[in-house]
Amino acid sequence: MIVVLGRDATPDQIRNVEAELRAMGYSIHPIYGVEKTVIGAVGAPDRDKEQDADRLRSLGCVEEVMLILRPYKFVSRESRAASTEVDVDGVVVGAERVVVMAGPCTVEARDQVLETARAVHRAGATILRGGAFKPSTSPYGFQGLGEDGLKILAEAKEETGLRIVTEVMDPRNVELVSRYADLLQVGTRNMQNFDLLKEVGQGKKPVLLKRGMSAKLDEWLHAAEYVCVKGNPNVILCERGIRTFEAYTRNTLDLSAVPAAKELSHLPVVVDPSQGTGRWSLVGPMSKAAVAAGADGLLIEVHPHPEQAVKDGPQSLKFDRFAQLMVEVASVARAVGRCV
Ligand code: PEP
Ligand code: MN
C-alpha cells in the first residue's frame, strides 16, 4: 500500500506511522519529499489490507492510503493470469464450450423434471437445473420438495447423464445437497451468507455463486473469496440481474458485469437471463447477448407447461422455444470463437 502523510506531519508522527507499519509486518520504503512524505509498504501477504488501511487513515497525520493489490487475492486476475476452468463432474465450465444449464425453476414433480430433462438434453444442454430448496419471498410460498426433490434430480441424471445444479440455502444442508448435486447454487439472497460460503468452501463440490441483487462487483468477488480461501477453488460466478428503478423487467441484467468480472477475476462467469429479465420473450435475446459478451455458460429456466409452473412461469421457456434458442446461441458462440 501507499501511505501519503499530510503536509504538516511532524518528524515524530512520521516515525510513528513507520513504526506502526513495521509492527503490522510490512517492510517500508519512505520517500521524504520537500512537501510531503510518502511511504510504500509491501509484504505482509496474510494481513487484511483494508483493515490496516482504515487503521492508518484514523491516524490524524495520514492524508491518504491506497491499496496496490486487490483485496480478494485468490480470485483476482492479478493472482492468476490464466482463466480458471471448473470441472462439473466432467463438464468443464470456462473452456471453449459455452455450457448451457437448463431446467425448471423448481422441482415440482417427477414427471415434470424427467420430461424437462429429456427435452433440454435433446436440445444440447449438459447440466440440469432445478430447485429442491427454494428461497421464497413469502413464508406462504412453496419452499421446495427438499430431499425428495433431490432424488428426482438424481433420477434425471441417471437417465440422461445431465449433471445437476441445485440450490443450497442452509449451511446445515450442504452435506445433504452435495450428495446429489454436481454444482451447488448459492442464490442471490445468500451471496453474503458468510456461514454458508464458508461451509461450501470447505467441500470440494463446485459452487455457482449468484451475484447478490444489490451487490457491487467488489462485494461479489469478496463473496467468491470466502469460498476459495476455505480451500475450494471451484467457483463459477453467475450474473442474474440487479435491482434498479426499472420495473418492466424483474431485474436489470447487467451484462457489463461479464467482461468486468473477467477483467477482475480469473473465475468463469455465466449468465441467468431468466431471473435477469423475468420475461420469457427476453430470455432468448439476452442469452445471445450474454454469449457475445463472453459468458462461459447460461442458466435458463425451461418448463413443460410454464402457465402451470409453481414458480417463475412467466420467465420459463417451453421446450420448442428452448430448442430453437440453442440453435441461435450456437451461431453466436461460433461468431465469437466458441461452441455450445
Ligand atoms: C433460481 O435460480 O431459481 C433463483 C431463485 O435464483 P436467484 O437466487 O438468482 O433469484
Ligand atoms: Mn427461478
Side-chain angles (χ1 to χ4, degrees):
M1 67 177 87
I2 309 275
V3 184
V4 182
L5 283 85
R7 194 178 288 270
D8 33 66
T10 64
D12 263 2
Q13 286 175 317
I14 295 171
R15 271 194 295 278
N16 182 35
V17 173
E18 290 175 350
E20 193 75 46
L21 283 164
R22 280 200 203 89
M24 288 170 175
Y26 297 96
S27 55
I28 61 164
H29 303 269
I31 304 169
Y32 304 107
V34 180
E35 303 266 347
K36 287 185 181 182
T37 294
V38 176
I39 306 172
V42 296
D46 294 329
R47 300 274 311 179
D48 180 339
K49 303 283 184 325
E50 282 174 330
Q51 201 177 319
D52 287 348
D54 273 350
R55 173 151 171 64
L56 293 159
R57 286 184 190 112
S58 70
L59 301 174
C61 58
V62 171
E63 193 174 86
E64 211 177 330
V65 181
M66 286 162 281
L67 298 181
I68 303 168
L69 290 173
R70 305 226 174 253
Y72 29 86
K73 61 180 179 205
F74 281 95
V75 309
S76 82
R77 184 65 85 177
E78 289 167 341
S79 71
R80 194 172 190 278
S83 295
T84 288
E85 295 180 358
V86 174
D87 186 330
V88 180
D89 190 28
V91 171
V92 179
V93 182
E96 188 190 344
R97 188 174 296 274
V98 173
V99 173
V100 179
M101 316 177 192
C105 173
T106 305
V107 174
E108 298 166 16
R110 185 172 173 270
D111 285 354
Q112 169 239 17
V113 171
L114 291 180
E115 229 186 292
T116 309
R118 289 177 200 127
V120 300
H121 181 244
R122 220 179 304 122
T126 47
I127 300 182
L128 177 67
R129 64 148 291 147
F133 292 94
K134 288 305 295 181
S136 175
T137 301
S138 162
Y140 307 113
F142 185 57
Q143 309 284 314
L145 294 180
E147 187 169 6
D148 288 343
L150 296 174
K151 287 182 177 156
I152 295 173
L153 291 169
E155 192 180 340
K157 177 178 182 179
E158 178 74 25
E159 184 188 314
T160 59
L162 288 167
R163 309 326 192 247
I164 302 298
V165 56
T166 193
E167 180 160 356
V168 60
M169 298 198 297
D170 186 327
R172 292 168 299 186
N173 283 337
V174 169
E175 203 241 293
L176 169 71
V177 177
S178 297
R179 264 188 260 141
Y180 297 91
D182 301 301
L183 177 59
L184 298 171
Q185 177 172 326
V186 173
T188 191
R189 294 160 187 82
N190 275 315
M191 190 206 81
Q192 285 189 320
N193 180 339
F194 300 116
D195 289 334
L196 179 62
L197 297 175
K198 287 180 198 165
E199 194 65 32
V200 297
Q202 258 148 24
K204 281 281 159 280
K205 280 281 150 111
V207 176
L208 183 76
L209 180 63
K210 293 231 180 167
R211 179 182 183 181
M213 61 183 87
S214 308
K216 296 189 284 184
L217 293 179
D218 182 68
E219 292 163 323
W220 191 17
L221 294 173
H222 270 98
E225 184 83 1
Y226 259 92
V227 180
C228 294
V229 84
K230 282 284 170 192
N232 186 352
N234 304 307
V235 178
I236 301 166
L237 299 169
C238 179
E239 163 62 36
R240 51 77 70 202
I242 52 173
R243 283 268 163 93
T244 67
F245 48 80
E246 182 52 67
Y248 181 72
T249 47
R250 183 177 177 185
N251 291 288
T252 296
L253 187 62
D254 177 12
L255 285 185
S256 71
V258 176
K262 282 169 165 285
E263 257 171 33
L264 293 169
S265 171
H266 52 81
L267 297 175
V269 184
V270 306
V271 169
D272 174 349
S274 306
Q275 326 303 319
T277 62
R279 289 174 179 265
W280 69 263
S281 60
L282 304 182
V283 167
M286 296 316 280
S287 297
K288 290 181 271 184
V291 172
D296 296 300
L298 296 166
L299 184 68
I300 299 177
E301 289 185 344
V302 178
H303 196 285
H305 308 288
E307 67 288 352
Q308 291 165 21
V310 170
K311 263 188 200 303
D312 292 353
Q315 66 195 35
S316 299
L317 296 183
K318 294 180 176 164
F319 295 168
D320 55 345
R321 290 210 174 93
F322 176 71
Q324 177 58 32
L325 175 58
M326 287 297 285
V327 175
E328 294 170 21
V329 163
S331 45
V332 176
R334 270 194 300 279
V336 294
R338 304 186 74 165
C339 57
V340 290

